[in-house]
Amino acid sequence: MGTTTPPRTLAEALRARGDESLAGLLRARPDLLNPVPNDITQLATRAGTRASVVRALEHLDRFALQTAEALAVAPDPAPYDTLLSLLTGDGLDDGEQRDDVGAAITAALPGALATLREQALVWGEDDRLRLVRTARELLAPSPQHPSPTGLGPTVAEATAGMSPGRLQEILAATGLPATHDPVSAVAALSALFTDRTRMAELLDTAPVEALSVLDRLVWGPPYGEVTPNPTPPVKWLRDRGLLLPVSTRTVVLPREAALHLRAGRAHRVPEPVPPVVAAAAERDPQAVDRAAAGQAFMALSTIEELLKLWDGGGPTILRAGGLSVRELKRAATALDVTEPIAAFWIELAYGAGLLASDGETDERYAPTPASDEWLDLSAEDRWTHLATAWLAATRTPGLVGGQDAKGRALSALGPELDRSAAPDVRRRVLALFAELAPGTAPDPEALLRRLRWERPLRGAAPATEGTDLRSRLALWTLNEAELLGITGRGALSSAARALLNEGEETAAALLSPLLPEPLDHVLLQADLTAVAPGPLERPLAETLSVLADVESKGGATVYRFTPGSVRRALDAGQAAADLHAFLAAHSRTPVPQPLSYLIDDVARRHGHLRIGAASAYVRCDDEAVLNEILADRRSTGLRLRRLAPTVLAAQSDPGSLLEALRDMGYAPAAESADGDVLITRAGARRTPPRTPPVPVPEGPPTPDDTLLGAAVRAIRAGDTAATVARKEPPEGTTGSTPSGTLPRTTPAETLATVQAAAMTGSTVWIGYVNADGAASQRVIAPVRVEGGFVTAYDHTADEVRTYPLHRITGVAELAEEG
């Protein structure tokens, strides 16, 4: 510990640490830095608060936690050998505790203790190990909070308040000599239960049914209910103190007796070594990379299709935030995926900053300006952007469709989907993948066992989410990594391995050769279809998506030309000649005659009818066409009436009238108030510039080395100021100042003392109150005193500072050393 005298408190133990050790504590428990403690005593107090201790316990692995749990049921303080015995047992359990497990515990215990000491959960030398009081309270047994070990209270704790007469009855039943001293009686009973020979002799006289009762209680919970007239086996145990009363109807198996029955072990299954992540399959690494690249390409295509789907303005936002179930189903149908997978793609695009709310009165989701920049990137760079956003996101699409703590449904893009543990779980799962040989697919169950060992207390979740959120996050990570192309056929791809270890540029370089090159051509067929044998260049794909409808996807995409799709291209401002030229330029096969006829036929009829706003009107130079519309029963709902031989008026808006006439087989065109045809291009609705959603942090961020160094210096200096020896003030001045409190002197005394210190170059101790009213203690070496200010070297801040004299509450000279 660095001192010859054992520490008496946690503060003394921390004070004896080196700077590097203190920095390690602050790095492991960054919540202790907010704000920076004034001194070591304040650091120790903060390290013992319940919230901070709970957070520290949640970051322990299984064996470190088991070590802390063993200390919680051990005597306080406990020698190292006692702790080791609680973990390994006494070796008299008929071989249940195998030698190899005992050897593993012996080898792992020093490391577990080092972790607990580093995090200030355990302090003291090996012969006097102490668990901090708050951790002992959290892990020690009680009727309200049973111990994780399943052990009950000690004999002394369970008999507190028991009448001396009842203690004498127990001593008599066990054959122990009578004593009128309750303390001696409890000690005698404890000694009996911890003596293996005498305890074995006592249990040899127990009825078989009584032993069965003990078997049910030995590994916990140690509490049981009894009736006013207990059965003979229970009465036998109660008479001999093997069951002690907690209340009128509850009894408990005392800790000493349980440890005897457990052969001295605090845990049924100690786990000193992390479970091995076993391989489920060995695959060809190149096949894994190809499969992952194929899935990465599908991921890019799906996100592009989603952006195109919402390009003209996406679905409206629910009043409570998020996407409605109906809109999610609609998106899933359009993307040809299930609803949970559609929720993942939508959340991924949102987390990457490609989708956001447009902020309008009728609020809708729409692509962001960043989505256009993303589409201009190369395929490999687009993938690394998505993968990086996924790794850091706290949004959890797997929760969509579930319920929150109030029973309300959780919707995609809703406000309740952030889980701060998600990024840590994703990175840890992929790190375990990366530890395996390339091409190795891990066993998911083994992976979950490893994660539970590493953070056994981090599975806590709201009741509506089940009992192990961390495991659920891990399973979602496996599925999402496969969808995104992070993994292929269950194994980590080379690009993803590089993304984790080397950065985006290396990952993109590895992925690029595996992605198909965009094509500048299609294959036109006589059945009015076009086949794209691979991904198309962006301008070609955008124009073709307007001119034709996607009929099927896969390795090749099939587009079908219909009158509606050709009319859509004409509405976008293309002329028939433009369409013929486009197809001739981008087809590797001759343009089929039926397709040319289709384009010419639709173009000839396109715009023959004109629709504008009256509410709406229909204008046509051919009166016969208008007569035909009026005679058609399907036009009844439009409530048309003739205003002139070539004009009809309708009591509906122009958009509805356009759609209705198109459904009737006509090819109308919208026109402006000036009579010009309105061109409707593919939607270009964009939100204002938006930043991607900020991940919800899990506790304070890990401080960097610069901040840690400054914090340690400040704590050391503050501790020096709080514990430094000070001279007693001379007679006739302000009284002495108790250690650890701010000094108090008059303004005249303060001025005289700092002036004298500036002249002699000595160091003084001051109390100082800043502009915010925060009081602190500082050790300064005054350099200059003038104009109501003192300029001094501040040992607390390790820099020269200037202090107003009126803010100095008092000053004291430091006692000379020695």
Side-chain angles (χ1 to χ4, degrees), residues 162-506:
M162 183 178 288
S163 66
R166 177 66 186 129
L167 283 173
Q168 296 303 317
E169 292 174 0
I170 294 175
L171 293 180
T174 54
L176 295 173
T179 175
H180 296 291
D181 181 12
V183 175
S184 300
V186 170
L189 192 59
S190 299
L192 169 63
F193 290 163
T194 54
D195 188 318
R196 289 199 64 87
T197 302
R198 290 193 294 159
M199 188 65 172
E201 293 173 353
L202 176 63
L203 293 177
D204 286 342
T205 65
V208 175
E209 295 83 357
L211 296 177
S212 298
V213 173
L214 293 177
D215 287 341
R216 291 197 295 271
L217 300 177
V218 63
W219 290 108
Y223 297 90
E225 291 190 1
V226 295
T227 61
N229 297 312
T231 59
V234 173
K235 187 175 184 302
W236 190 94
L237 294 170
R238 194 176 63 175
D239 290 345
R240 286 155 182 79
L242 291 170
L243 292 180
L244 294 173
V246 176
S247 64
T248 55
R249 297 183 60 87
T250 306
V251 294
V252 64
L253 176 65
R255 186 181 306 169
E256 295 88 344
L259 285 173
H260 170 84
L261 296 170
R262 297 179 176 198
R265 282 181 289 154
H267 299 87
R268 174 177 284 186
V269 183
E271 299 181 59
V273 179
V276 176
V277 180
E282 299 285 345
R283 310 192 191 282
D284 178 12
Q286 293 184 349
V288 168
D289 289 346
R290 288 194 297 270
Q295 192 57 49
F297 175 74
M298 289 298 298
L300 297 178
S301 300
T302 304
I303 295 295
E304 290 173 17
E305 190 172 351
L306 176 63
L307 295 176
K308 188 183 302 180
L309 179 66
W310 290 0
D311 196 50
T316 57
I317 300 176
L318 294 173
R319 183 178 302 175
L323 201 62
S324 68
V325 174
R326 180 178 62 185
E327 293 294 349
L328 179 61
K329 290 181 177 178
R330 185 175 298 170
T333 301
L335 298 177
D336 194 23
V337 295
T338 62
E339 292 171 33
I341 294 179
F344 167 68
W345 294 125
I346 291 171
E347 284 287 347
L348 179 62
Y350 176 70
L354 308 180
L355 292 175
S357 162
D358 60 9
E360 300 293 336
T361 304
D362 180 20
E363 203 170 11
R364 293 176 176 271
Y365 291 108
T368 64
S371 67
D372 296 317
E373 299 174 6
W374 180 78
L375 289 169
D376 289 335
L377 297 174
S378 62
E380 57 271 19
D381 288 335
R382 277 181 280 150
W383 180 83
T384 57
H385 180 84
L386 292 179
T388 303
W390 174 75
L391 282 172
T394 54
R395 305 282 300 175
T396 311
L399 295 173
V400 173
Q403 293 183 334
D404 63 11
K406 297 181 179 180
R408 296 173 299 195
L410 296 172
S411 59
L413 301 179
E416 303 295 333
L417 294 186
D418 283 291
R419 296 296 180 270
S420 56
D424 175 64
V425 172
R426 290 192 191 109
R427 286 196 171 274
R428 186 56 192 147
V429 168
L430 296 183
L432 291 174
F433 269 83
E435 291 176 4
L436 302 175
T440 303
D443 177 18
E445 286 300 323
L447 196 69
L448 293 181
R449 285 194 295 271
R450 176 63 171 268
L451 291 174
R452 294 189 189 106
W453 186 91
E454 292 178 347
R455 294 289 186 272
L457 292 184
R458 294 308 306 277
T464 55
E465 296 180 8
T467 58
D468 195 349
L469 176 62
R470 190 174 174 86
S471 294
R472 298 180 70 197
L473 288 171
L475 291 175
W476 291 329
T477 296
L478 296 178
N479 296 332
E480 293 169 4
E482 194 76 16
L483 287 172
L484 191 52
I486 298 284
T487 58
R489 303 181 65 187
L492 191 68
S493 69
S494 299
R497 197 181 297 267
L499 182 66
L500 294 172
N501 301 323
E502 302 175 50
E504 296 183 23
E505 290 186 7
T506 306

Side-chain angles (χ1 to χ4, degrees), residues 622-661:
D622 190 344
E623 295 182 33
V625 174
L626 296 184
N627 292 333
E628 182 182 341
I629 293 174
L630 286 172
D632 196 320
R633 291 183 179 180
R634 291 175 293 178
S635 67
T636 304
L638 300 176
R639 301 176 69 180
L640 298 170
R641 62 189 178 89
R642 191 185 294 272
L643 297 181
T646 59
V647 181
L648 298 178
Q651 295 186 22
S652 61
D653 61 274
S656 301
L657 185 56
L658 270 171
E659 292 300 322
L661 292 180

